[in-house]
Amino acid sequence: MRITDLLTFNRGRTLCLPAHGRGSALPTEIRQLLRRPAGVWDLPELPDIGGPLTTSGAVSESQKMISDSFGADRCWYGVNGATGLLQAALFAVLKPGQAVLMPRNVHKSLIEACAIGDFTPILFDIPFLKDRGHFSNPDSFWLKKVLEGISNDLEIAAAVLVNPTYHGYSSQLSELVTMLHQKGLPVVIDEAHGTHFATSIGMDLPQSGLTAGADLIVHSLHKSATGLVQTAVLWMQGERVDAKAIERSISWFQTSSPSALLLASCEASVKEMICHSGLRRLKKRIVQARAIRKNLLRMGIPVLSNQDPLRLIIHTASVGISGLDADDWFLARGLIAELPEPGCLTFCLGLVDHKGLPRLFKSKWDGLIANKLLNPMPPFSSPSLPLLTAPSMNCASAWRAKAQSIPIEDSVGRISAELICPYPPGIPLVIPGEKLDKTRVQWLIEQQRMWPGQISLQLRVVA
């Protein structure tokens, strides 16, 4: 079957990304543009259009208008997703050989940036929710312990925070940013899943990195706004990071021929966050999302709490069903989740009207329970790691080293040459350069049993 054939048929109720819900929540101007003659919008960086790094043209003017509207000093549109802009942000704040402090649940794109740029990731452990197998976000007390545990001979040049997590967990961000700034560290926020936090609607949404005072913030516009896939924006504020360094880094991680359609989508989706109609729609979606959650709980469906109302986590492990098995069941019956995991299914409500969803969900859930796909999950355990860890071998060297593939159980004492990373969610279990002890290997074997299709029985290690 051709790719084009797979893009148009009715897949049922899609509660997955992108957040525009197969076009129903796209900005009006983008929907109108896509109704024009095919390909009319497929243009290069003509002088009147420009691009994210040009000093003139519509894109440059749009970026200035948008950054002024949000109170940021600068912003840049991205056409290689949050991935490209996160990697550019890291290159803007680090030099080869320098170290960066980041949480254990950082996205794999930043570990890959460390391998490319010869940066050393100093990973700090974070709270782990054993009932569901999720990492949570640290609070100020947790980060204080982390900062106190950093040895004096370790020179860290920058820090990364994740807000919110893939599942919608968030913490009081401004306290964390302030603590890191007091240590003299520029702060990069991976806010790919929290673009809507940056709006002015209130409604008890978590704080955005923009209002928390972070230096660089990356938003994915298709994950948590109404952009097309691959659209993103990088915000800069303050004087801790050089704008020229950012632009140089962006040029390394973005195409020199950016899609005019994606650039138009960046502008339209960010404008939705400040215009009256866009904010009104977001408010409606949040009110509806909270009502859906209450209705599902009332119907006896195990919905877990988080801080982002637009992410719905169903705790399948609480009824003895793997989230992976539940996902297969729902997919076959036209209900598509965003993130299946051994203990949960996470659904993305996005910016779409989900009228009638609780009733539909209840009928599918009852069928799932009646089918008795029971596969009791063992207790979830976090890797037994110290609060702070650094790779035993430089990430870049381990990534490029001569390697051999061996069974995971034989890898005790060896150094990993690869990322082990179920995707999604894209959170590394092992990074290149990490040395594996017996406890860690046993944990990896546990994870492989839970994620048989995602984690190989073999591991590439430095020869």
Side-chain angles (χ1 to χ4, degrees):
M1 188 175 283
R2 296 172 303 175
I3 296 174
T4 48
D5 295 330
L6 297 171
L7 300 183
T8 54
F9 69 85
N10 184 358
R11 294 176 179 270
R13 188 70 75 103
T14 53
L15 301 178
C16 60
L17 299 174
H20 60 66
R22 301 201 77 185
S24 63
L26 282 174
T28 301
E29 60 189 278
I30 296 299
R31 281 188 279 130
Q32 290 174 342
L33 177 62
L34 292 173
R35 291 191 190 109
R36 301 290 297 276
V40 69
W41 36 260
D42 201 16
L43 292 168
E45 282 184 309
L46 296 173
D48 57 340
I49 299 173
L53 300 178
T54 60
T55 56
S56 61
V59 176
S60 175
E61 293 171 10
S62 175
Q63 291 178 162
K64 184 177 188 315
M65 181 273 290
I66 290 295
S67 60
D68 289 346
S69 298
F70 280 85
D73 293 317
R74 295 285 299 274
C75 80
W76 294 266
Y77 298 150
V79 297
N80 190 28
T83 289
L85 291 182
L86 282 169
Q87 292 174 333
L90 213 58
F91 270 69
V93 296
L94 293 172
K95 296 175 182 176
Q98 289 186 322
V100 54
L101 184 68
M102 52 177 66
R104 191 83 218 175
N105 67 332
V106 75
H107 189 263
K108 74 186 191 81
S109 59
L110 287 167
I111 301 297
E112 290 165 346
C114 289
I116 297 167
D118 191 16
F119 312 136
T120 300
I122 308 300
L123 299 174
F124 63 90
D125 201 17
I126 51 177
F128 187 78
L129 305 171
K130 290 188 176 182
D131 64 329
R132 64 201 74 175
H134 292 166
F135 287 107
S136 183
N137 270 7
D139 59 17
S140 58
F141 298 103
W142 190 284
L143 185 60
K144 183 174 184 288
K145 286 193 300 180
V146 169
L147 295 176
E148 288 172 348
I150 297 173
S151 62
N152 293 330
D153 60 342
L154 192 59
E155 294 186 13
I156 295 175
V160 173
L161 294 173
V162 178
N163 177 67
T165 68
Y166 208 133
H167 308 95
Y169 305 127
S170 188
S171 54
Q172 184 54 41
L173 200 58
S174 58
E175 296 176 359
L176 308 184
V177 171
T178 298
M179 292 171 70
L180 292 167
H181 280 167
Q182 287 171 348
K183 292 289 184 180
L185 302 177
V187 180
V188 176
I189 305 282
D190 175 359
E191 204 162 275
H193 296 279
T195 309
H196 51 307
F197 295 175
T199 61
S200 60
I201 63 170
M203 299 190 72
D204 293 324
L205 289 179
Q207 187 179 31
S208 167
L210 276 167
T211 54
D215 305 282
L216 298 177
I217 304 98
V218 174
H219 287 146
S220 170
L221 299 176
H222 88 267
K223 289 186 173 75
S224 46
T226 56
L228 295 170
V229 170
Q230 286 186 228
T231 57
V233 62
L234 168 62
W235 309 88
M236 184 200 86
Q237 49 192 12
E239 299 179 354
R240 292 180 183 84
V241 187
D242 179 13
K244 292 293 183 186
I246 296 170
E247 292 185 331
R248 183 171 63 247
S249 300
I250 289 174
S251 73
W252 295 340
F253 293 97
Q254 302 283 321
T255 175
S256 58
S257 304
S259 162
L261 174 63
L262 294 183
L263 291 172
S265 178
C266 287
E267 177 186 64
S269 59
V270 177
K271 281 170 62 179
E272 287 258 300
M273 296 162 59
I274 52 177
C275 74
H276 180 70
S277 60
L279 293 175
R280 186 174 66 244
R281 177 166 60 179
L282 177 58
K283 286 181 181 179
K284 285 183 178 178
R285 296 291 80 83
I286 290 172
V287 168
Q288 184 186 56
R290 287 173 173 157
I292 288 170
R293 181 184 300 269
K294 285 182 181 178
N295 282 331
L296 293 180
L297 285 168
R298 182 176 51 79
M299 293 171 174
I301 297 172
V303 183
L304 293 170
S305 61
N306 60 2
Q307 286 71 51
D308 181 3
L310 299 183
R311 290 298 165 95
L312 199 63
I313 310 169
I314 307 300
H315 194 196
T316 60
S318 68
V319 294
I321 297 176
S322 162
L324 306 176
D325 292 340
D327 186 51
D328 289 341
W329 169 270
F330 285 138
L331 267 174
R333 289 153 183 83
L335 186 61
I336 304 176
E338 167 59 24
L339 174 58
E341 298 171 284
C344 296
L345 267 180
T346 299
F347 294 86
C348 173
L349 297 178
L351 285 304
V352 179
D353 185 354
H354 289 295
K355 186 178 179 181
L357 179 61
R359 223 172 24 253
L360 171 68
F361 207 105
K362 173 65 172 169
S363 68
K364 305 292 185 189
W365 179 260
D366 287 348
L368 173 68
I369 299 298
N371 199 53
K372 297 182 180 177
L373 294 171
L374 297 180
N375 180 19
M377 304 299 299
F380 294 99
S381 60
S382 59
S384 181
L385 292 169
L387 189 60
L388 284 153
T389 55
S392 298
M393 177 186 279
N394 171 291
C395 266
S397 299
W399 192 278
R400 296 172 176 84
K402 184 179 179 181
Q404 60 184 125
S405 184
I406 62 173
I408 288 180
E409 59 265 29
D410 295 338
S411 63
V412 176
R414 305 298 294 270
I415 293 174
S416 176
E418 66 176 334
L419 273 171
I420 299 181
C421 185
Y423 194 88
I427 298 169
L429 306 181
V430 170
I431 70 171
E434 282 196 289
K435 192 170 187 177
L436 298 159
D437 59 22
K438 186 175 181 180
T439 305
R440 191 76 179 283
V441 169
Q442 285 302 122
W443 180 78
L444 282 175
I445 292 170
E446 267 181 44
Q447 300 306 302
Q448 198 283 328
R449 289 176 186 147
M450 291 181 179
W451 299 80
Q454 287 267 26
I455 299 175
S456 172
L457 290 167
Q458 300 285 115
L459 174 65
R460 288 181 72 249
V461 296
V462 174

